[in-house]
Amino acid sequence: MFERNNRNNSYNSAPVNVGEEYDVKIEDTGKSGDGIAKVEGYILFVPGAKKGQEVKIKVTATKRNLGFAELVE
């Protein structure tokens, strides 16, 4: 018998939306050198950001477990 996979709506939702801006602290650096920030525990990769910087970012893309942002100047 077919069993439907009931996942709640938060499965594909992130606590941030594309286009939103945040003031964050870059907590770490990823393997490719991108800065890593967190908003409500959600990981955002920020190219050009360095660990320890406090920056303003703009979300450019979101996935289930992580997202991408750019520095706002």
Side-chain angles (χ1 to χ4, degrees), residues 4-22:
R4 188 173 194 167
N5 188 357
N6 290 325
R7 295 184 180 182
N8 66 24
N9 290 336
S10 68
Y11 175 75
N12 286 323
S13 66
V16 300
N17 294 305
V18 172
E20 291 179 336
E21 294 185 358
Y22 297 91

Side-chain angles (χ1 to χ4, degrees), residues 53-72:
Q53 286 183 308
E54 293 186 14
V55 295
K56 180 172 278 221
I57 60 169
K58 182 176 182 179
V59 179
T60 57
T62 60
K63 295 187 177 187
R64 179 178 174 209
N65 295 320
L66 58 90
F68 300 89
E70 62 188 10
L71 293 171
V72 175

Side-chain angles (χ1 to χ4, degrees), residues 1 11 13 17 23-24 26-27 29 34 42 46 53 65 69:
M1 182 167 198
Y11 175 75
S13 66
N17 294 305
D23 292 313
V24 298
I26 303 301
E27 298 180 16
T29 304
D34 294 343
Y42 182 77
V46 187
Q53 286 183 308
N65 295 320

